[in-house]
Amino acid sequence: MDICKPTLCIDERIARENIRIMAAKAARLRVQFRPHFKTHQSVEVGMWFRQAGVTAITVSSVSMARQFADAGWNDITIAFPLNIRETEEVSALAARIKLNVLFDSPEQAAALAKVLKQAAGFFIKVDTGYHRAGVLPGDRETMEAILSVAAAGPLDFRGFLTHAGQTYMAESPEAVLQVSRESRARLEGLKEVYSGRFPGLITSTGDTPSCSIDDDFSGADEIRPGNFVYYDLMQLRLGSCRFGQIAAAVICPVVSVYPSRNQALIYGGAVHLSKEYQMHPDGSKIYGLAVPFTGGRWRLPEGEDYMVSLSQEHGMMRAGSRWAASLSPGDLVAVIPVHSCLAADLLKETVTFLAQ
Amino acid sequence: MDICKPTLCIDERIARENIRIMAAKAARLRVQFRPHFKTHQSVEVGMWFRQAGVTAITVSSVSMARQFADAGWNDITIAFPLNIRETEEVSALAARIKLNVLFDSPEQAAALAKVLKQAAGFFIKVDTGYHRAGVLPGDRETMEAILSVAAAGPLDFRGFLTHAGQTYMAESPEAVLQVSRESRARLEGLKEVYSGRFPGLITSTGDTPSCSIDDDFSGADEIRPGNFVYYDLMQLRLGSCRFGQIAAAVICPVVSVYPSRNQALIYGGAVHLSKEYQMHPDGSKIYGLAVPFTGGRWRLPEGEDYMVSLSQEHGMMRAGSRWAASLSPGDLVAVIPVHSCLAADLLKETVTFLAQ
């Protein structure tokens, strides 16, 4: 492989296996599997899901919904509260595919009801503790207002949806399970209250940590994990995956080496990896983990070879291991990103698939 | 202006004034002005520089050099140590334009000397304290090795170049001046040593904080600031600019409001603003400053209306001021980015210029 600049490499075998495992788990636990495509944003990776039997997907923007509708997906949930400045585009999409949107305020429902020509589904987005978006589980007044306003348009109430993103702050797999369980219980409680009036309601949940670690999805009718297709350092730390399940790395050229400070400069910066970081126990920041890249594959870590700072194009690597200390200008290193969704977004145009 | 999703807006009048001021300062202090184009990466903004008399520019990657060569720029310095995996592309560029590259190791010089067909200039990149890239000022052995290896190819030694990026860590304008002065003194010392053997050598320096705050460039023959064309929150905090000199903002729709927690959800996340942050004195993180956007212009801040967290597409805004507390879904806010270079890179395809 002739890599000259930072290039996102996806290990197809690992990614397909991640998809297979999650699809099998959903089938075994009898939940609908509606994977989130915001992580890969790739029509080609989408095909791997399709080949694993997936027919319904999640995206995080109207543009992404259009991209995948154009690629032949016709059952899409936009898991982002409706942006009322995009109601025309949403309405056009609803005429083409089976579309679900999210409301967490009556203003959103009213704006869409006004312009929508063909039927669309909607979920009430519920805030089960992440406090990013959503109606609080006890705020029935807002829920009733949404339901009442939505009834003015061709909008079908599908159920309650949450993203328990607080699992990312969990400090142990047990804490992830705790959050996951509480979050599902809240949705289930709402479903019990409303399913008399709206038979067929479902509950939808499922961040990657919960879906990877938990083995009990009771209370959930649908899961929407996304990151698991690639995983990353964040998930490794949370216990969602093993190193061997990580399917994405950014391959970067070594530009210069500085043995006196045990560092190497790589071509790979904030515009390739993003500035997402995690904390090293010693209090320093980690912007990625550098591992060998030989024979067209990345390998197990040799030691504590971290990206310690990033500027726009430059990445500074702490060369702690013997392997890292032996690097020369022109060599390649694989950087496992802290957050693969952001690296994949930044490097959409340079993605390379490692053959199976 | 019909903005439906996060859009980078550039205030042309302010950006042109920033260019005019810096060009005038360079002329007054008798240094060559070779602005860094990595901030805007825009052919159109490049024209504003050309109209201000600029003929020589700086970029941070080979791809950017090619982009601007294609747009008619023919005197370009790639201010990133030579990536020896790109020597063929560099060589092709050197055949088209007056090109300068950077070396901080003899391996780089040897690799380019081997393939280069037409003349190119080179600088020795000097590490004057930032410890990102460069040869230490006292490491004459490496410098001699570079000079000796470079002599094998059509490579002309242009001088010594540094980026005193440690100014970004400075805690006061005085500290910026101190770093700037020391950095220039180191380059000047090297020039004195080598200019007997290499007449016509120059020294090149100039990060935005130094160039904005300092009024004495003695010791420097050339300055290469980039960020000043837009400025941002980081520069505002350093004292490099006033609020009214900031020329870039990301205009974002308000999606939902949560009065009970004084927050608003905007469509504008890490894939639009980057995860660059700065610390609020209260210990929280700031990912951008939200200000009103009315009549097609952003306005002065109303209060402490900060972006307090970002996920991929979601931005959470602390709505502290009366203006922010009155926002509704569908309104627009302008977010002043922490680091305009990264936001501009992310939103290259949605840039809108506010007319003068």
Side-chain angles (χ1 to χ4, degrees):
Chain A
M1 211 170 337
D2 198 21
I3 291 176
C4 299
K5 48 190 195 174
T7 303
L8 178 69
C9 279
I10 302 302
D11 189 310
E12 179 172 345
R13 187 190 58 75
I14 299 176
R16 282 186 184 265
E17 183 65 6
N18 293 342
I19 295 167
R20 192 194 62 73
I21 291 172
M22 195 62 82
K25 189 174 189 176
R28 180 164 50 86
L29 298 175
R30 297 176 188 282
V31 290
Q32 154 95 342
F33 182 39
R34 184 185 281 277
H36 208 312
F37 275 23
K38 80 178 178 71
T39 303
H40 61 81
Q41 295 181 54
S42 155
V43 170
E44 180 153 357
V45 176
M47 285 303 298
W48 306 346
F49 281 90
R50 192 178 293 255
Q51 289 159 11
V54 170
T55 56
I57 66 170
T58 309
V59 298
S60 56
S61 69
V62 178
S63 343
M64 237 182 266
R66 200 173 42 232
Q67 178 197 348
F68 287 107
D70 291 346
W73 293 90
N74 52 30
D75 185 352
I76 302 180
T77 295
I78 303 176
F80 186 92
L82 183 91
N83 165 19
I84 68 176
R85 291 190 163 249
E86 292 180 298
T87 47
E88 294 292 347
E89 274 187 88
V90 167
S91 178
L93 263 173
R96 293 171 57 193
I97 61 166
K98 193 175 160 209
L99 186 72
N100 298 311
V101 299
L102 264 53
F103 298 142
D104 72 352
S105 80
E107 288 91 333
Q108 296 157 350
L112 188 59
K114 206 164 65 182
V115 303
L116 194 66
K117 285 176 199 71
Q118 270 158 293
F122 73 93
F123 286 88
I124 292 182
K125 164 89 180 191
V126 182
D127 178 1
T128 57
Y130 186 32
H131 305 321
R132 185 176 66 176
V135 185
L136 290 169
D139 183 2
R140 302 291 159 80
E141 198 183 334
T142 301
M143 293 188 193
E144 289 298 337
I146 291 172
L147 292 170
S148 148
V149 169
L155 281 159
D156 300 322
F157 183 34
R158 299 260 187 257
F160 298 96
L161 179 148
T162 196
H163 172 67
Q166 66 271 37
T167 51
Y168 284 83
M169 271 79 91
E171 302 209 335
S172 68
E174 293 68 35
V176 169
L177 291 180
Q178 177 75 8
V179 167
S180 167
R181 207 171 303 133
E182 285 171 10
S183 174
R184 277 182 281 114
R186 295 221 166 91
L187 292 192
E188 201 176 15
L190 286 166
K191 182 179 163 184
E192 274 166 26
V193 173
Y194 284 88
S195 56
R197 280 163 63 196
F198 300 93
L201 281 194
I202 69 161
T203 60
S204 174
T205 182
D207 48 285
T208 283
S210 301
C211 292
S212 301
I213 297 171
D214 213 341
D215 214 32
D216 172 8
F217 295 159
S218 55
D221 298 311
E222 174 180 276
I223 57 166
R224 310 180 320 279
N227 180 281
F228 74 95
V229 61
Y230 294 163
Y231 288 120
D232 53 29
L233 283 194
M234 218 185 262
Q235 301 292 346
L236 185 67
R237 168 167 296 185
L238 286 164
S240 310
C241 66
R242 291 171 292 101
F243 184 83
Q245 290 179 289
I246 296 175
V250 181
I251 313 303
C252 300
V254 174
V255 172
S256 210
V257 296
Y258 310 99
S260 65
R261 49 183 159 107
N262 294 314
Q263 291 185 324
L265 173 68
I266 67 162
Y267 180 13
V271 299
H272 312 105
L273 292 162
S274 91
K275 291 215 74 168
E276 192 85 72
Y277 66 88
Q278 56 183 210
M279 297 307 291
H280 188 277
D282 73 8
S284 63
K285 288 176 183 160
I286 294 171
Y287 293 93
L289 169 66
V291 301
F293 185 73
T294 52
R297 298 271 155 195
W298 62 88
R299 308 292 167 178
L300 288 170
E302 290 284 323
E304 300 230 314
D305 303 314
Y306 293 120
M307 302 311 304
V308 292
S309 71
L310 302 179
S311 37
Q312 185 163 342
E313 314 266 349
H314 301 71
M316 188 51 62
M317 173 182 158
R318 179 165 74 190
S321 71
R322 188 179 296 189
W323 159 73
S326 73
L327 289 168
S328 304
D331 287 346
L332 293 175
V333 299
V335 180
I336 309 296
V338 173
H339 191 174
S340 60
C341 305
L342 296 186
D345 178 76
L346 285 163
L347 294 173
K348 278 197 286 267
E349 279 138 46
T350 67
V351 63
T352 295
F353 298 105
L354 304 181
Q356 291 195 74
Chain B
M1 210 170 338
D2 197 21
I3 290 176
C4 299
K5 48 191 195 172
T7 304
L8 178 69
C9 279
I10 302 303
D11 189 311
E12 179 172 345
R13 187 190 59 75
I14 299 177
R16 282 186 184 265
E17 183 65 4
N18 293 342
I19 295 168
R20 192 195 62 73
I21 291 172
M22 195 62 83
K25 189 174 189 177
R28 180 164 51 84
L29 298 175
R30 297 176 186 281
V31 290
Q32 154 94 342
F33 181 38
R34 185 185 282 276
H36 207 313
F37 274 24
K38 81 177 177 70
T39 303
H40 60 80
Q41 295 183 54
S42 155
V43 169
E44 180 154 357
V45 176
M47 285 304 297
W48 305 346
F49 280 91
R50 194 180 290 258
Q51 288 159 10
V54 169
T55 56
I57 66 169
T58 308
V59 299
S60 57
S61 70
V62 178
S63 342
M64 238 183 266
R66 202 174 40 234
Q67 177 197 349
F68 287 107
D70 290 348
W73 292 91
N74 51 30
D75 185 351
I76 302 180
T77 295
I78 304 175
F80 187 92
L82 184 90
N83 165 18
I84 69 177
R85 290 188 165 251
E86 291 181 298
T87 48
E88 294 291 347
E89 273 188 89
V90 167
S91 178
L93 263 174
R96 292 170 58 193
I97 60 164
K98 192 174 159 208
L99 186 73
N100 297 311
V101 297
L102 264 53
F103 298 142
D104 72 351
S105 80
E107 287 92 334
Q108 296 158 349
L112 188 58
K114 207 162 66 183
V115 302
L116 194 67
K117 286 177 197 72
Q118 269 158 293
F122 74 93
F123 285 88
I124 292 180
K125 165 89 178 190
V126 182
D127 178 0
T128 56
Y130 186 32
H131 305 322
R132 185 176 67 176
V135 185
L136 291 169
D139 183 2
R140 302 292 159 81
E141 199 183 335
T142 301
M143 294 189 193
E144 289 298 336
I146 291 171
L147 293 171
S148 147
V149 169
L155 281 160
D156 300 321
F157 183 35
R158 300 259 187 257
F160 297 97
L161 178 148
T162 197
H163 172 67
Q166 68 270 38
T167 51
Y168 283 83
M169 272 79 90
E171 302 208 335
S172 67
E174 294 67 37
V176 168
L177 292 180
Q178 177 75 8
V179 166
S180 166
R181 207 172 302 133
E182 285 172 10
S183 174
R184 279 181 279 114
R186 294 220 167 91
L187 292 191
E188 201 177 14
L190 286 166
K191 182 179 164 185
E192 273 167 26
V193 173
Y194 284 88
S195 58
R197 280 162 64 195
F198 299 93
L201 283 194
I202 69 159
T203 59
S204 175
T205 183
D207 49 286
T208 283
S210 299
C211 292
S212 300
I213 297 172
D214 212 341
D215 214 32
D216 172 7
F217 294 160
S218 55
D221 298 311
E222 175 180 274
I223 58 165
R224 310 180 320 279
N227 179 280
F228 75 95
V229 61
Y230 294 162
Y231 288 120
D232 53 29
L233 283 195
M234 216 184 264
Q235 301 291 346
L236 185 66
R237 169 167 295 186
L238 286 164
S240 309
C241 66
R242 291 172 292 102
F243 183 85
Q245 290 179 290
I246 296 175
V250 181
I251 313 304
C252 300
V254 174
V255 172
S256 211
V257 295
Y258 311 99
S260 65
R261 48 183 158 108
N262 294 313
Q263 291 185 324
L265 174 67
I266 67 161
Y267 180 13
V271 299
H272 312 105
L273 292 163
S274 92
K275 291 216 73 166
E276 191 85 71
Y277 67 89
Q278 55 183 212
M279 298 306 292
H280 188 277
D282 71 9
S284 63
K285 287 176 184 162
I286 295 170
Y287 293 93
L289 169 67
V291 301
F293 184 73
T294 52
R297 300 271 154 194
W298 63 87
R299 308 292 167 180
L300 287 171
E302 290 284 322
E304 300 230 314
D305 303 314
Y306 293 121
M307 302 311 304
V308 292
S309 71
L310 302 180
S311 38
Q312 185 164 340
E313 315 264 350
H314 300 70
M316 190 50 63
M317 174 182 157
R318 180 165 73 191
S321 71
R322 187 179 297 187
W323 159 73
S326 73
L327 288 168
S328 304
D331 287 345
L332 294 175
V333 299
V335 180
I336 309 296
V338 173
H339 191 173
S340 60
C341 305
L342 296 186
D345 179 75
L346 286 162
L347 295 172
K348 280 196 285 266
E349 280 138 46
T350 66
V351 64
T352 294
F353 298 104
L354 304 181
Q356 292 195 72

